[in-house]
């Protein structure tokens, strides 16, 4: 627990104090956010606000991960296998960093061209597929080699699973490794685009991501405390996952980094996360769902992201089939802007929706544990 707390604290402080530096640097480099000409009129006042702020909390998360591992060196001997960096960390941080890199390229092109077009849809899609495929293969082909004092293997799990999962793996929903990688890619694409579409109002995506990441930190730490690889914990309701403490540490670090960034990103935002941050967070959240074996729980934990994504899908289908729009504008947050809601009201109310989704998901997770106990 101490390592997780250290990671959260370090990530928060690095993000809190480095974000003002990033604001000055990006302002000097004239890396201002281009604003869509067809967007809400009130957004024109945000033109020129520094973007690519996601660089800060991605970097803060990586630094905090290292700090958390330094705190792990005092763990008891039976837990020493958690001290060394793992494939789990490679997958989770890799998804965050390289998804963020795709977003950074998009942001860079927007700033350079001085318009909101950025990387074309095909290029962004190919980037997401490539990142998902590479880390999907790593997640499925590298099992853990944890052993006990006698040399007996205590954990041979991979980061991902060939079985679809809700709160645990669902045995009758097994697929091949290739099929699992395809699912991995789909989850990465869904999560990155979901967070990206949610970004658009000051602090909205950042605050929602804090809740989702905090939920995954709790889930992963609970799995660590009831881990099948722990020789002292053999109850039938333990969790068959790989490196849950590592997952909790990274989720906590990312949540702490986002809170530090939110200090400067809340209304009126002095910096935007940009696609760098949105895609980076989406990639990490996708990895959290895969590594904790809670893929089908993700749409509930990230309920706000799903609602906003569906508003775009509904708008496109309606317009192409009937020529009419269901919403004044999509994504959904802009519909309410045009309806006269203030930006702060929309953000706070959407945060409430995000919190409800997280609460329901955590309730389902814990109730399943209680059911298995009885």
């Amino acid at each position: 627990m101490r390592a997780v707390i250290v990671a959260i604290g370090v990530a928060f402080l690095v993000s809190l104090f480095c974000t003002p530096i990033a604001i000055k640097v990006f302002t000097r480099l004239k890396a201002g956010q281009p604003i869509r000409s067809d967007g809400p009129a009130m957004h024109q006042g945000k033109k020129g606000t520094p973007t690519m702020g996601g660089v800060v909390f991605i970097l803060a998360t990586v630094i905090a991960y290292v700090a958390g591992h330094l705190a792990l060196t005092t763990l008891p001997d039976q837990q020493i296998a958690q001290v060394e960096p793992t494939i789990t960390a490679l997958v989770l941080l890799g998804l965050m960093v390289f998804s963020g890199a795709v977003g950074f390229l998009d942001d860079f092109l927007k700033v350079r061209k001085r318009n909101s077009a950025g990387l074309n849809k095909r290029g962004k899609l190919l980037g997401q597929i490539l990142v998902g495929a590479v880390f999907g293969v790593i997640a499925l082909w590298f099992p853990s080699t944890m052993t006990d004092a006698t040399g007996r293997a205590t954990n041979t799990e991979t980061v991902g699973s060939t079985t679809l999962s809700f709160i645990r793996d669902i045995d009758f929903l097994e697929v091949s490794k290739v099929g699992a990688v395809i699912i991995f890619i789909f989850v990465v694409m869904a999560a990155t685009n979901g967070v990206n579409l949610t970004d658009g109002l000051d602090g909205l995506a950042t605050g929602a991501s804090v809740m989702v990441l905090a939920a995954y930190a709790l889930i992963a730490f609970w799995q660590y405390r009831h881990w099948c690889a722990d020789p002292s914990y053999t109850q039938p309701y333990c969790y068959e996952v790989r490196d849950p403490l590592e997952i909790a540490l990274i989720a906590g670090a990312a949540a702490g980094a986002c809170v530090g960034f939110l200090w400067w990103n809340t209304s009126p935002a002095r910096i935007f996360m940009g696609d760098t941050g949105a895609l980076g967070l989406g990639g990490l959240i996708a990895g959290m769902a895969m590594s904790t074996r809670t893929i089908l729980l993700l749409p509930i934990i990230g309920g706000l992201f799903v609602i906003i994504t569906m508003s775009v899908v509904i708008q496109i289908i309606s317009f192409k089939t009937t020529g009419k729009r269901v919403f004044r504008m999509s994504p959904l947050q802009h519909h309410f802007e045009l309806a006269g809601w203030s930006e702060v009201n929309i953000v706070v109310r959407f945060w409430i929706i995000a919190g409800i989704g997280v609460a329901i998901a955590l309730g389902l997770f814990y109730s399943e544990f209680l059911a298995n106990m009885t």
Side-chain angles (χ1 to χ4, degrees):
M1 185 64 177
R2 177 171 56 189
V4 177
I5 293 174
V6 167
I8 293 171
V10 169
F12 170 74
L13 292 174
V14 170
S15 188
L16 180 68
F17 291 109
C18 288
T19 301
I21 298 174
I23 293 172
K24 292 179 181 178
V25 170
F26 290 141
T27 299
R28 190 172 302 151
L29 294 174
K30 297 182 179 180
Q33 175 69 47
I35 304 298
R36 290 170 51 184
S37 58
D38 60 343
M42 59 282 288
H43 284 208
Q44 295 305 314
K46 300 180 181 184
K47 188 175 182 179
T49 301
T51 188
M52 296 188 282
V55 169
V56 178
F57 58 71
I58 291 174
L59 180 63
T61 301
V62 175
I63 292 172
Y65 170 75
V66 175
H69 264 266
L70 292 177
L72 282 175
T73 57
T74 58
L75 282 175
D77 289 343
Q78 65 266 28
Q79 296 174 323
I80 200 70
Q82 285 275 324
V83 174
E84 299 298 327
T86 65
I87 292 294
T88 301
L90 173 64
V91 170
L92 294 179
L93 294 177
L95 283 169
M96 188 181 199
V97 170
F98 285 95
S99 293
V102 175
F104 182 86
L105 178 59
D106 187 35
D107 287 332
F108 176 79
L109 292 175
K110 288 177 183 176
V111 170
R112 186 175 182 180
K113 296 177 181 178
R114 294 286 186 257
N115 63 55
S116 59
L119 188 64
N120 62 50
K121 292 180 181 179
R122 181 176 297 179
K124 189 181 292 187
L125 182 65
L126 288 174
Q128 293 169 335
I129 291 173
L130 180 61
V131 171
V134 169
F135 290 101
V137 169
I138 296 173
L140 270 298
W141 264 270
F142 292 87
S144 175
T145 56
M146 285 184 61
T147 58
D148 60 19
T150 66
R152 180 177 62 88
T154 59
N155 187 259
T156 57
E157 297 289 336
T158 53
V159 179
S161 175
T162 55
T163 306
L164 284 175
S165 56
F166 180 53
I167 293 172
R168 301 173 191 269
D169 285 341
I170 305 171
D171 293 336
F172 62 86
L173 293 179
E174 189 169 1
V175 296
S176 66
K177 281 192 175 182
V178 173
V181 171
I182 293 173
I183 292 171
F184 197 99
I185 293 170
F186 174 78
V187 175
V188 168
M189 292 174 62
T192 51
N193 286 304
V195 178
N196 197 23
L197 290 171
T198 302
D199 188 32
L201 298 185
D202 296 352
L204 177 56
T206 310
S209 296
V210 168
M211 298 182 210
V212 172
L213 290 167
Y216 275 118
L218 290 172
I219 287 172
F221 191 76
W222 184 265
Q223 291 176 333
Y224 173 66
R225 298 297 295 175
H226 305 85
W227 191 20
C228 293
D230 187 342
S232 65
Y233 200 93
T234 58
Q235 285 87 339
Y237 46 88
C238 59
Y239 295 93
E240 295 180 355
V241 295
R242 174 172 178 163
D243 310 318
L245 183 59
E246 194 89 323
I247 302 168
L249 192 154
I250 294 171
C258 285
V259 172
F261 181 76
L262 185 60
W263 183 274
W264 307 99
N265 181 235
T266 193
S267 183
R270 293 187 57 189
I271 189 170
F272 300 139
M273 69 166 68
D275 280 18
T276 305
L279 297 189
L281 288 174
L284 178 59
I285 289 170
M288 290 289 160
M290 300 295 293
S291 59
T292 57
R293 310 292 172 85
T294 55
I295 299 172
L296 299 179
L297 192 65
L298 176 58
I300 302 175
I301 295 180
L304 178 65
F305 303 141
V306 174
I307 291 170
I308 288 177
T309 300
M310 288 308 300
S311 73
V312 175
V313 173
I314 291 169
Q315 186 85 323
I316 293 172
I317 292 175
S318 176
F319 186 74
K320 288 193 173 184
T321 56
T322 68
K324 296 180 180 179
R325 292 180 172 85
V326 176
F327 307 104
R328 289 181 172 90
M329 185 178 179
S330 66
L332 188 61
Q333 60 268 32
H334 299 318
H335 167 82
F336 289 106
E337 277 190 291
L338 296 178
W341 290 23
S342 72
E343 183 171 4
V344 172
N345 273 342
I346 297 169
V347 170
V348 171
R349 288 168 180 170
F350 276 37
W351 280 352
I352 292 171
I353 294 171
I356 291 171
V358 165
I360 292 172
L362 289 176
L364 289 171
F365 180 83
Y366 186 60
S367 64
E368 189 271 348
F369 177 81
L370 293 178
N372 275 321
M373 287 186 63
T374 58

